[in-house]
Amino acid sequence: MLKVVQSDPALAAGVLRLANRVSAGGARAITNLRAACLRLGNGRILALACQLQLEVAFRGAGGQAGRECKAMWLAVHATAAIARSLAIELRD
């Protein structure tokens, strides 16, 4: 997985950003891709790679396709927010 991350500058930046965001309180910042990949795990890196690819695809769409992509993207975000809120409510 490290070779894949190293081959894409946007993915490498995203991995470092995410690894530092999820770092434990007071932990030193991660500047090494290997350490970032170990901290996040393959599942999170794959999810991040998919997210970046979707953002690029949606950004490139124009006209009617762009409007439909934006509406779909907003619906996905709304669904995720509602699902998270429901999970929190049901857990309590």
Side-chain angles (χ1 to χ4, degrees), residues 33-53:
L33 277 176
R34 185 176 188 283
C37 288
L38 288 173
R39 177 173 285 176
L40 294 175
N42 289 342
R44 278 191 172 163
I45 293 173
L46 181 60
L48 180 62
C50 290
Q51 176 186 346
L52 290 173
Q53 289 301 315

Side-chain angles (χ1 to χ4, degrees), residues 74-84:
L74 292 173
V76 167
H77 277 284
T79 303
I82 291 168
R84 182 171 188 238

Side-chain angles (χ1 to χ4, degrees), residues 62-85:
Q64 181 64 26
R67 288 188 293 277
E68 289 177 10
C69 285
K70 184 175 181 179
M72 185 172 62
W73 188 257
L74 292 173
V76 167
H77 277 284
T79 303
I82 291 168
R84 182 171 188 238
S85 296

